[in-house]
Amino acid sequence: MPSDAPQHTYPLEPWCIRETAFDTGSHFLDETLFALGNGYIGLRGTHEEGYSGPKGTSLDGTYLNGFYESEAIHYPEAAYGLAKTNQFMLNVPNAKGIALWIEDERFDMLQGTLHNYERVLDFRIGVLRRALEWTSPQGRRVAIVSRRLVSMTDKHLFAIEYEVTPLNFSGRVQLVSSVDGAVKNLEAGDDPRVGSAVSGQSLALVSSEQAPHFSALTQRTVNSGFTLVSAVRTDMRGVFELAQSKGEQGGQDEQGGQRLEQVYTVAAMQGEAIRLSKFGSYHTSRDYPEAELMSRAQATLGAAAAKGFRVLAQEQEQYLADFWQHADVEISGDDALQQGMRFNQFHLLQSAGRDGKTNISAKGVTGEGYEGHYFWDTEIYIFPFFLYSKPEIAKKLLEYRYAGLPLARERARQMSHAKGALYPWRTIAGVECSAYYPAGTAQYHINADIAYSIKLYMEATNDEDYLLRHGAEIVLETARIWMGIGAYDRAGRYCINEVTGPDEYTALVNNNYYTNAMARMHLDFAASIAELLVAEWPDEFERIAALVQLDADEPGQWRRAAARMLLPYDDGLQIHAQDDSFLDKKVWDFANTPKENYPLLLNYHPLVIYRHQVCKQADVVLALLLLSDEFTQEDKKRDFDYYEKVTTHDSSLSSCIFSIIAAEVGYHDKAYDYFMETARLDLDDTHGNTHYGVHTAAMAGTWMGVAYGFGGMRVVDGAVRFAPTLPKKWQHYQFKLHLRGCLLQVRVEAGRTEYTLLQGEALAFSHRGQAVELSAGSAVKELA
């Protein structure tokens, strides 16, 4: 189970995290927490000057969402249909380097004496600021201020402003701006959650280009065949204008030409600041023709330099002001949760691909865990946050799935399905990358999860254009797979065998409850889509039906299978069984399992775990949330009580779901405790592995915990309802939702809930069963 939470690392401030001391012991974790990103570029929070601390306390990573290398998966014993190729996100050239020399002494925070150190990541402005004073071993004292941003308005751009002021001397100061292509990925070792199994460099140098103030590396991946241009422009501005670019190319002998430097030497005067501005860009052939990459890099950097850092920072602040206006969740009464909430929302925004070509990896763009793969986490955990907070990003996430539909069709054929599409369990560009099929490929519920997100999107937006262009085709094609793997038993019940549900400690079972229940939803939804198309857009139906070669009787087959779906239930315990055999297994011996043996997956063979009644994460309990109207309150309470006792929460996906259901069934203290575990999972490193990257799904689970948990929000066939509760420690909380072209604010205080229509003409929903209608003329409604 998760480790006990340590003391909070940073002061509890509502809009930032603030580091007031430099500590090699927390450095690895700090690199993750202070990471910056824009959904494409990710810069870990390493300092511009590099790091000379102990081995194993740093990973200086730079990542591009969706840019990957591929390799063949080698099995000692192969079998038909196993995933053949892995894709893994690359650590790309480090372009943020700025070395500082004071006469012949190099600035290093682990040498000399460090004074007045502070680093702040402000969620409102999206800028990482560091300020310090340092006395060199020979007694020269300088003040340093650096500011860094990764642009939210230009996905290819980051910028740094670096300022040095001599405090007790005048003399030579040298700044060396570098782009270093001699990087490699972190090796995973025995923990598959950490990084890649590949050692050595994955990027081969094609060429380098250097001119005054400009450096660029062109590299190519060996197997996936992508080209990358990493370029920087460095400007020196300030009082003196004495800096000269030497245009030097440094370190070629050691790095094979993969490190380029611009060296600036200044005759510095005591008390007068020297300011360097650095702009970096990354362009790849996944987005543009290879011949255009260099010119695009030059154009991006030229435009950025013309604006300057200050203007870029203003644009960043404006973008985030709009984001927070629509997405902010306010919590009064618990400073730790307020900080955790906004930290999580900010990192989610930094992690989400928004170009229709990329998605959200399990670690965002902060680390190499799970090799940068995308999972079902996006649809079930992360998608709701963006749908109700920034729906244009939610739509792009769905467009990514449509872009992957051709490869999903190919995967279905590999898995012996004559029709339909099967989405990969873990992937970057659309091919199945899961080498361990019992916990990967067998999780067929990925198809239903994607269909569920499309259903949620349609109910929240009424985006008919999306349905006709993309959504209907995905839903129809993926629904067919259930007819390919299911069958009627002798009693006429529709069964789905040999699958794995969300709980990865129980693999290859028959009739996993979550899978069957979600498949039933999916089949009914697909039939409804077909019927809607026939009734409303017959010409579009004919087009889509011809495209997917839909037989006339298929929707009827889907309805019949859904109606007869087997959903395991134990009459004796009066609970929904996780699968046909789960309740017949021996319960794991929790009392005699040492604390250090969690997570179980790192300490026991999978077969040992599979033979026991033990859950890694919410499974049936997740179904209680997603399919809420299919259960009574008594059902939910009994299911929660039973499965809580056998769940380790070894997965970071688990606590938020248990929090939501605990709130619904009246276990308010448990709801709060589980919510706290979710909200500060990364800030307090409760799972002990945040140094390898944030947990994006758990971060989104924090938003779900407020809206779905304490807010009691449910959406059933498009009807929105709320049943708010107020945690004992809180004075109030409020959140906002985009619903059918409106922006609704929900504010909960002791004894009252206030609903405010901030945008839109009219919105109807229910509050504890009471119908509520808001219009532009009567925008506020207060209810007990």
Side-chain angles (χ1 to χ4, degrees):
M1 296 184 182
S3 60
D4 294 334
Q7 293 296 311
H8 302 316
T9 306
Y10 311 115
L12 298 181
E13 301 178 68
W15 283 106
C16 71
I17 53 173
R18 184 185 308 272
E19 181 183 46
T20 56
F22 178 69
D23 181 7
T24 59
S26 65
H27 184 263
F28 207 161
L29 174 63
D30 296 333
E31 287 180 340
T32 294
L33 301 181
F34 285 96
L36 292 179
N38 63 1
Y40 180 63
I41 298 173
L43 305 181
R44 280 179 63 84
T46 47
H47 302 291
E48 289 84 1
E49 306 88 6
Y51 177 71
S52 64
K55 183 178 180 181
T57 61
S58 176
L59 172 62
D60 195 352
T62 302
Y63 309 107
L64 303 179
N65 189 4
F67 182 72
Y68 65 91
E69 175 62 308
S70 58
E71 61 173 352
I73 300 174
H74 299 287
Y75 298 94
E77 296 183 29
Y80 179 81
L82 296 182
K84 296 180 179 179
T85 305
N86 186 32
Q87 300 167 340
F88 56 95
M89 182 174 70
L90 288 173
N91 186 5
V92 300
N94 175 12
K96 64 181 180 292
I98 301 172
L100 169 63
W101 292 82
I102 311 298
E103 296 292 353
D104 58 348
E105 297 179 283
R106 180 166 180 166
F107 169 67
D108 183 338
M109 288 192 292
L110 294 176
Q111 305 295 323
T113 305
L114 192 62
H115 317 272
N116 305 321
Y117 173 91
E118 182 180 79
R119 181 164 58 158
V120 181
L121 175 55
D122 190 321
F123 315 140
R124 290 168 297 188
I125 62 175
V127 172
L128 178 62
R129 181 182 184 275
R130 181 190 53 159
L132 60 91
E133 292 182 10
W134 178 75
T135 302
S136 74
Q138 296 181 23
R140 299 182 183 91
R141 186 162 177 148
V142 293
I144 300 171
V145 178
S146 64
R147 301 172 72 217
R148 182 192 304 175
L149 64 83
V150 178
S151 173
M152 291 288 184
T153 56
D154 184 340
K155 81 171 194 176
H156 300 288
L157 178 69
F158 75 86
I160 298 170
E161 184 179 70
Y162 193 92
E163 185 177 278
V164 182
T165 305
L167 298 179
N168 66 351
F169 72 97
S170 297
R172 184 169 60 89
V173 171
Q174 192 173 78
L175 293 167
V176 183
S177 171
S178 62
V179 52
D180 187 356
V183 295
K184 63 179 184 178
N185 278 49
L186 181 69
E187 294 182 52
D190 294 329
D191 189 344
R193 303 169 300 170
V194 169
S196 169
V198 175
S199 61
Q201 288 186 234
S202 297
L203 289 166
L205 181 66
V206 175
S207 64
S208 60
E209 183 172 325
Q210 196 154 35
H213 309 291
F214 177 80
S215 300
L217 291 172
T218 300
Q219 297 167 303
R220 187 171 293 126
T221 59
V222 177
N223 297 317
S224 57
F226 298 127
T227 301
L228 164 67
V229 170
S230 309
V232 296
R233 172 167 172 167
T234 311
D235 290 346
M236 285 288 289
R237 297 175 184 174
V239 177
F240 307 107
E241 296 291 345
L242 294 178
Q244 298 293 320
S245 170
K246 295 184 178 180
E248 293 181 358
Q249 187 166 314
Q252 287 196 41
D253 293 339
E254 296 79 14
Q255 308 290 358
Q258 299 217 60
R259 179 182 173 88
L260 304 178
E261 296 179 347
Q262 297 280 344
V263 181
Y264 299 84
T265 304
V266 180
M269 299 297 293
Q270 181 176 340
E272 305 216 25
I274 303 161
R275 183 175 298 121
L276 178 147
S277 296
K278 182 171 186 176
F279 309 95
S281 72
Y282 297 93
H283 292 76
T284 85
S285 58
R286 281 212 73 190
D287 290 324
Y288 307 106
E290 183 175 331
E292 298 179 9
L293 298 180
M294 187 64 71
S295 61
R296 286 184 176 272
Q298 292 169 333
T300 295
L301 297 176
K307 290 180 178 179
F309 187 91
R310 302 294 173 87
V311 172
L312 293 175
Q314 291 170 2
E315 292 176 351
Q316 188 88 331
E317 186 171 359
Q318 290 167 3
Y319 180 93
L320 285 166
D322 177 75
F323 169 73
W324 289 117
Q325 183 179 354
H326 292 83
D328 184 34
V329 175
E330 182 179 305
I331 298 171
S332 175
D334 193 319
D335 293 340
L337 286 179
Q338 179 66 89
Q339 183 184 49
M341 186 78 233
R342 288 179 175 142
F343 172 84
N344 292 344
Q345 290 180 280
F346 179 72
H347 264 285
L348 285 169
L349 181 65
Q350 293 196 131
S351 299
R354 58 202 71 171
D355 54 11
K357 301 176 183 178
T358 54
N359 203 271
I360 306 173
S361 74
K363 300 294 184 183
V365 285
T366 67
E368 299 166 32
Y370 296 104
E371 301 178 290
H373 290 159
Y374 313 138
F375 293 82
W376 70 305
D377 305 16
T378 298
E379 280 73 28
I380 297 304
Y381 290 83
I382 302 171
F383 183 81
F385 166 71
F386 284 109
L387 174 61
Y388 297 117
S389 300
K390 203 163 180 62
E392 62 270 28
I393 292 181
K395 185 173 183 178
K396 290 298 181 182
L397 297 175
L398 293 181
E399 289 178 4
Y400 165 82
R401 289 299 188 185
Y402 185 76
L405 189 56
L407 286 173
R409 289 187 175 109
E410 288 185 24
R411 183 58 177 162
R413 304 302 168 268
Q414 293 167 4
M415 295 299 292
S416 302
H417 300 297
K419 293 182 176 181
L422 175 60
Y423 276 96
W425 179 244
R426 53 189 296 174
T427 190
I428 294 179
V431 303
E432 179 61 82
C433 296
S434 176
Y436 185 64
Y437 76 87
T441 302
Q443 296 205 46
Y444 269 70
H445 65 83
I446 180 69
N447 269 17
D449 301 329
I450 292 170
Y452 183 89
S453 68
I454 293 172
K455 184 173 185 289
L456 210 61
Y457 177 78
M458 291 305 303
E459 291 171 347
T461 67
N462 295 324
D463 187 347
E464 296 172 351
D465 181 69
Y466 168 77
L467 178 69
L468 299 176
R469 288 176 177 268
H470 301 139
E473 189 178 344
I474 294 175
V475 173
L476 299 179
E477 280 283 69
T478 51
R480 288 169 148 171
I481 297 300
W482 302 118
M483 306 308 297
I485 65 170
Y488 293 95
D489 67 6
R490 288 178 293 176
R493 302 171 301 180
Y494 198 75
C495 302
I496 300 175
N497 297 328
E498 292 303 317
V499 297
T500 299
D503 170 31
E504 294 176 1
Y505 284 173
T506 309
L508 299 178
V509 296
N510 296 341
N511 297 310
N512 167 256
Y513 187 93
Y514 176 91
T515 301
N516 284 23
M518 291 291 283
R520 181 174 67 171
M521 174 280 303
H522 189 179
L523 290 166
D524 274 332
F525 180 48
S528 297
I529 290 295
E531 294 160 3
L532 177 66
L533 292 175
V534 169
E536 300 291 335
W537 302 282
D539 291 342
E540 287 296 316
F541 174 76
E542 291 298 327
R543 178 186 65 81
I544 296 170
L547 180 65
V548 302
Q549 299 180 326
L550 184 72
D551 294 336
D553 62 345
E554 284 188 79
Q557 293 174 8
W558 299 341
R559 289 285 194 201
R560 180 171 178 263
R564 300 189 181 187
M565 187 70 67
L566 192 159
L567 298 174
Y569 187 82
D570 187 275
D571 291 320
L573 295 172
Q574 293 186 290
I575 65 169
H576 297 90
Q578 185 165 302
D579 57 69
D580 283 353
S581 62
F582 185 80
L583 298 178
D584 295 328
K585 295 176 181 178
K586 178 182 178 181
V587 175
W588 186 271
D589 186 2
F590 296 101
N592 293 306
T593 301
K595 183 178 180 180
E596 60 269 20
N597 280 15
Y598 294 95
L600 301 182
L601 67 97
L602 297 184
N603 295 283
Y604 300 91
H605 191 283
L607 287 177
V608 175
I609 299 174
Y610 296 162
R611 293 185 185 115
H612 287 82
Q613 203 178 133
V614 58
C615 297
K616 181 183 180 185
Q617 63 207 84
D619 195 299
V620 170
V621 177
L622 179 58
L624 302 180
L625 170 61
L626 302 185
L627 305 170
S628 180
D629 60 315
E630 299 181 10
F631 307 91
T632 66
Q633 285 296 98
E634 292 73 19
D635 284 334
K636 292 175 182 177
K637 185 176 184 299
R638 287 192 297 267
D639 285 348
F640 180 94
D641 289 344
Y642 189 88
Y643 288 104
E644 184 187 30
K645 296 174 184 176
V646 296
T647 302
T648 65
H649 305 293
D650 283 350
S651 168
S652 63
L653 305 180
S654 192
S655 293
C656 61
I657 305 302
F658 273 80
S659 173
I660 293 166
I661 301 303
E664 184 175 6
V665 301
Y667 294 153
H668 301 299
D669 289 341
K670 286 185 177 182
Y672 200 82
D673 289 344
Y674 279 123
F675 181 72
M676 177 63 88
E677 157 68 15
T678 302
R680 294 190 60 91
L681 187 150
D682 284 316
L683 276 178
D684 292 337
D685 194 21
T686 58
H687 278 237
N689 61 0
T690 295
H691 51 288
Y692 292 123
V694 299
H695 298 77
T696 53
M699 288 178 153
T702 311
W703 182 91
M704 294 169 67
V706 172
Y708 291 175
F710 304 124
M713 175 185 169
R714 299 291 185 274
V715 181
V716 179
D717 294 329
V720 182
R721 63 178 188 246
F722 299 94
T725 59
L726 181 69
K728 289 182 292 186
K729 291 184 63 176
W730 297 1
Q731 281 77 57
H732 77 264
Y733 64 96
Q734 67 182 37
F735 58 96
K736 301 172 185 178
L737 302 162
H738 282 270
L739 287 167
R740 297 189 287 277
C742 298
L743 181 62
L744 175 70
Q745 179 176 283
V746 181
R747 182 182 176 91
V748 181
E749 300 177 355
R752 65 188 287 270
T753 301
E754 180 182 277
Y755 296 97
T756 306
L757 190 64
L758 300 176
Q759 296 176 11
E761 295 301 315
L763 187 65
F765 52 91
S766 69
H767 169 88
R768 303 190 194 284
Q770 175 184 348
V772 180
E773 293 186 9
L774 295 179
S775 63
S778 56
V780 179
K781 189 80 171 181
E782 296 183 12
L783 298 165

